[in-house]
Amino acid sequence: MPPDRPVTIVTGATSGIGAAIAKLLGQRGHAVVIVGRSRQAGTALEDQMRTAGGSALFLAEDLSDRSAPERIVTAALNFGGRIDALVNNAGLLRNGAAPETSDGDWDAVLDLNLSAAFRLSRAVLPQMQAQCRGSILNVASDWALMGARGALAYAVSKAALAQMSRCMALDHAQEGIRVNALCPTDTDTPMLDLAYSDGDRASKIARLATTIPMGRVARVEEVAAVAAFLLSDEAGFITGALIPVDGGTSAQ
């Protein structure tokens, strides 16, 4: 039986979608392990969640470090005694078509967006297998579902992350472990400023809104709500799914 407080690890959790997921899970009774590189933002979020009555632990980790998954798993087990869910949300965006994408850019994006998610998923699986229960949610992108211009490495990494989700879902379906991918469109987060550097923020958001059938960008709370559902028992028969949260963009 699961504990009163499910223990969930969320990476890239100090801002944007990751922070919204961590806060919502905390409100819904999860003990949340917040993983990020910004110690200031992470400790502030940890304090905020604890003040609100939640259970949270911040870990300052760089996921490009191959030893980080072992430290994260050990800290999570010491914190909550088990690991019920993992949200692989940490991501890196480097703009550019192939001629503008250096080897360094390609390697950095693929390593954080794909390989780091693989390494941490691999690290939590033995605990989930021992429990006969667990859920892994990979935060991909609507660009995992369709082509994109000017962000080759990022789009490829997210498409590969989606395929990893499907393959792992099949590998572990009979072990009580579910694996899904969340595919949000442009969302009002700091990464929006990196993706589209031209113009002021309001004009960028207005311009992006014209490309989305629902006429606006996503809010982090909307993406977090779908993430929380996919991690819940209410989604107990959903695995191997790529769930768009994109205002209809991928339906075009």
Side-chain angles (χ1 to χ4, degrees):
M1 293 294 291
D4 291 337
R5 283 187 183 266
V7 179
T8 300
I9 300 167
V10 184
T11 70
T14 57
S15 67
I17 289 172
I21 291 173
K23 286 189 281 190
L24 182 57
L25 292 177
Q27 292 166 9
R28 297 190 178 184
H30 289 241
V32 183
V33 179
I34 304 161
V35 180
R37 290 187 296 179
S38 172
R39 187 173 296 276
Q40 181 178 2
T43 53
L45 180 57
E46 177 189 72
D47 290 344
Q48 179 185 350
M49 291 174 63
R50 289 182 174 181
T51 300
S55 178
L57 172 69
F58 169 64
L59 301 177
E61 289 286 357
D62 180 351
L63 294 177
S64 65
D65 183 342
R66 300 299 177 92
S67 62
E70 182 179 354
R71 291 194 297 272
I72 292 168
V73 168
T74 298
L77 291 174
N78 289 337
F79 174 57
R82 56 186 292 136
I83 299 171
D84 294 281
L86 165 65
V87 181
N88 284 309
N89 172 73
L92 174 66
L93 172 66
R94 297 279 173 84
N95 290 317
E100 295 83 47
T101 302
S102 68
D103 287 349
D105 287 339
W106 179 269
D107 290 345
V109 171
L110 269 291
D111 185 64
L112 182 59
N113 294 3
L114 177 64
S115 298
F118 161 71
R119 292 191 292 264
L120 189 49
S121 297
R122 182 179 60 187
V124 302
L125 277 169
Q127 180 63 32
M128 291 182 176
Q129 288 168 322
Q131 297 165 181
C132 299
R133 177 185 177 89
S135 181
I136 296 174
L137 181 61
N138 296 313
V139 179
S141 166
D142 59 348
W143 284 353
L145 307 174
M146 56 191 182
R149 293 184 176 90
L152 177 65
Y154 182 82
V156 168
S157 72
K158 293 299 188 178
L161 185 62
Q163 181 70 338
M164 186 181 86
S165 304
R166 289 186 287 209
C167 293
M168 288 183 61
L170 296 175
D171 286 339
H172 302 287
Q174 295 189 15
E175 299 173 347
I177 300 168
R178 299 184 299 109
V179 186
N180 293 292
L182 194 61
C183 302
T185 190
D186 289 310
T187 305
D188 192 356
T189 70
M191 187 175 280
L192 195 83
D193 298 312
L194 298 176
Y196 307 99
S197 58
D198 55 319
D200 64 83
R201 201 163 203 282
S203 64
K204 281 187 287 188
I205 290 176
R207 185 172 66 253
L208 290 170
T210 66
T211 70
I212 299 171
M214 289 187 70
R216 62 176 177 84
V217 301
R219 298 189 295 269
V220 290
E221 295 82 6
E222 293 171 315
V223 180
V226 180
F229 165 71
L230 290 170
L231 295 175
S232 73
D233 289 341
E234 293 175 326
F237 204 56
I238 300 176
T239 195
L242 313 181
I243 306 295
V245 186
D246 66 358
T249 302
S250 60
Q252 299 182 106

